[in-house]
Amino acid sequence: MSSDPHGYELPLRLLFGFRSLIDDLHAELAKQGHPDVRPMHGFVFQAIGPSGTTAVELGRTLGVSKQAAGKTIDALERLGYVHRQRDPDDGRRMLVRLTDRGLDCLAKSARIFDRLRTGWAETLGAERLRALEEDLRKVTSPESARLDLPGWFAGH
């Protein structure tokens, strides 16, 4: 009998590691003035990017409908993380852009992720963590680094 774990344990452990990091991130973000940010919002902020985007493009990037993207934009606008403005190149289009509050959240997230990684390095050992990261790069393709996880999880 093999001492290897069952195959289904690998994706679960990867998911649990992801969940642990994201839960720790959001607990710290709440302490630093962003209590209303949810895991989905990180994908949205990344999809909006520095140039802004439209609701249609946001939905496409996230793998959700334009309506779902619009509801998310509405919620983030109420919370002060995004704002809408006319596209200066095409006045018919409305761009969604991050506000200073949204940019602050992204900057704090980056610093918190660095601290969380340091904590993992202390627990696992710096060399083992670097090896884990390198091994994950070997088994994941660049094409898998997309922001459509919200739609992918929902089956869209």
Side-chain angles (χ1 to χ4, degrees), residues 48-156:
I48 291 172
S51 304
T53 191
T54 65
V56 171
E57 292 164 348
L58 182 64
R60 190 176 305 123
T61 301
L62 297 176
V64 300
S65 68
K66 175 186 171 186
Q67 292 77 12
K71 286 181 182 180
T72 301
I73 293 165
D74 290 344
L76 288 171
E77 193 170 36
R78 282 191 301 277
L79 294 170
Y81 289 100
V82 303
H83 66 95
R84 291 177 170 105
Q85 69 181 63
R86 292 261 171 234
D87 184 337
D89 297 326
D90 182 351
R92 297 168 296 173
R93 291 173 15 127
M94 290 297 288
L95 288 178
V96 179
R97 294 189 183 267
L98 295 172
T99 62
D100 288 342
R101 181 166 171 75
L103 293 170
D104 178 68
C105 185
L106 276 179
K108 286 179 177 172
S109 294
R111 288 191 297 271
I112 294 166
F113 274 131
D114 285 343
R115 285 199 304 271
L116 292 172
R117 188 191 180 282
T118 298
W120 277 43
E122 290 169 0
T123 300
L124 300 174
E127 288 300 315
R128 288 190 66 195
L129 180 57
R130 276 194 291 277
L132 172 62
E133 291 168 330
E134 184 57 34
D135 288 343
L136 288 171
R137 282 185 202 95
K138 289 177 188 174
V139 297
T140 56
S141 68
E143 295 81 39
S144 64
R146 298 186 316 254
L147 296 173
D148 67 345
L149 286 175
W152 182 79
F153 267 119
H156 297 273

Side-chain angles (χ1 to χ4, degrees), residues 9-80:
E9 190 171 331
L10 176 61
L12 290 175
R13 290 290 167 199
L14 291 168
L15 181 62
F16 298 159
F18 173 79
R19 172 77 188 256
S20 175
L21 285 168
I22 298 303
D23 285 348
D24 291 349
L25 168 76
H26 283 272
E28 187 58 31
L29 280 173
K31 291 178 193 171
Q32 294 188 29
H34 297 283
D36 298 317
V37 175
R38 300 292 171 252
M40 167 70 170
H41 298 156
F43 291 102
V44 174
F45 293 170
Q46 292 299 318
I48 291 172
S51 304
T53 191
T54 65
V56 171
E57 292 164 348
L58 182 64
R60 190 176 305 123
T61 301
L62 297 176
V64 300
S65 68
K66 175 186 171 186
Q67 292 77 12
K71 286 181 182 180
T72 301
I73 293 165
D74 290 344
L76 288 171
E77 193 170 36
R78 282 191 301 277
L79 294 170

